[in-house]
């Protein structure tokens, strides 16, 4: 039984309704790939924005590795997906560096997770067809 993890930006525990940059925390769900059933397994607090106390001068530079967006993405690096009401390009790029797929979606959490499960199934079908075609041409 395969499982995957999803972070959800929510302020009511019912809807995906918070922008990535405004989320103080993310509800983390574990989803069964076959049945689509899911359960909340934790609440992950977003790291604090740099307060300048690091002393290495990085706070004044625009290096991605030292940005608050990068820190927030790194905090979610062990997950498969992040669902937010809205994501900017920097958030998407920061998450992608950790192989986390990000989607902006404004739906109830159960519907949003169902859409992710459907996406995963369709993606697996497409990859299977491509692999089948490749095997035929070899």
């Amino acid at each position: 039984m395969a499982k995957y993890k999803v972070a959800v930006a929510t302020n009511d525990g019912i809807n995906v309704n918070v922008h990535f940059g405004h989320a103080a925390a993310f509800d983390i769900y574990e989803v069964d790939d076959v049945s689509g059933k899911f359960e909340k397994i934790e609440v992950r607090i977003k790291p604090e924005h740099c307060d300048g106390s690091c002393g290495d001068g990085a706070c004044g530079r625009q290096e991605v590795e030292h940005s608050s967006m990068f820190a927030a993405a790194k905090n979610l690096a062990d997950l498969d997906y992040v669902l937010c009401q809205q994501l900017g390009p920097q958030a998407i790029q920061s998450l992608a560096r950790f192989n986390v797929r990000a989607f902006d979606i404004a739906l109830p959490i159960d519907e949003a997770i169902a859409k992710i499960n459907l996406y995963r199934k369709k993606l697996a079908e497409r990859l299977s067809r491509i692999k089948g075609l490749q095997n035929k041409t070899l």
Side-chain angles (χ1 to χ4, degrees):
M1 183 177 354
K3 294 188 178 188
Y4 61 94
K5 293 182 182 177
V6 179
V8 177
T10 180
N11 62 12
D12 63 7
I14 298 168
N15 299 293
V16 181
N17 60 0
V18 179
H19 186 287
F20 183 84
H22 298 152
F26 293 88
D27 288 357
I28 309 299
Y29 292 87
E30 187 172 67
V31 185
D32 180 279
D33 208 8
V34 177
S35 70
K37 292 182 181 181
F38 60 91
E39 71 174 310
K40 183 175 166 182
I41 58 171
E42 72 174 288
V43 174
R44 193 166 301 177
I45 305 299
K46 187 168 148 186
E48 291 293 321
H49 187 282
C50 178
D51 63 3
S53 63
C54 56
D56 66 1
C59 299
R61 296 192 305 254
Q62 293 298 316
E63 293 180 12
V64 173
E65 289 80 8
H66 297 286
S67 74
S68 60
M69 194 69 64
F70 182 83
K74 187 175 182 181
N75 187 46
L76 303 172
D78 62 315
L79 306 176
D80 300 288
Y81 301 94
V82 173
L83 306 178
C84 300
Q85 182 179 24
Q86 188 175 2
L87 290 130
Q90 186 180 9
I92 293 168
Q93 290 171 353
S94 294
L95 289 162
R97 289 185 74 178
F98 296 102
N99 295 316
V100 178
R101 290 188 176 107
F103 295 96
D104 52 354
I105 187 167
L107 287 172
I109 293 169
D110 58 343
E111 289 180 38
I113 290 176
K115 284 190 176 280
I116 293 298
N117 217 37
L118 181 62
Y119 163 80
R120 288 174 58 88
K121 287 178 181 178
K122 287 183 176 183
L123 183 60
E125 289 170 6
R126 287 183 190 135
L127 292 174
S128 178
R129 280 195 304 262
I130 290 169
K131 187 175 181 179
L133 291 172
Q134 288 174 339
N135 288 338
K136 286 181 183 180
T137 59
L138 296 177

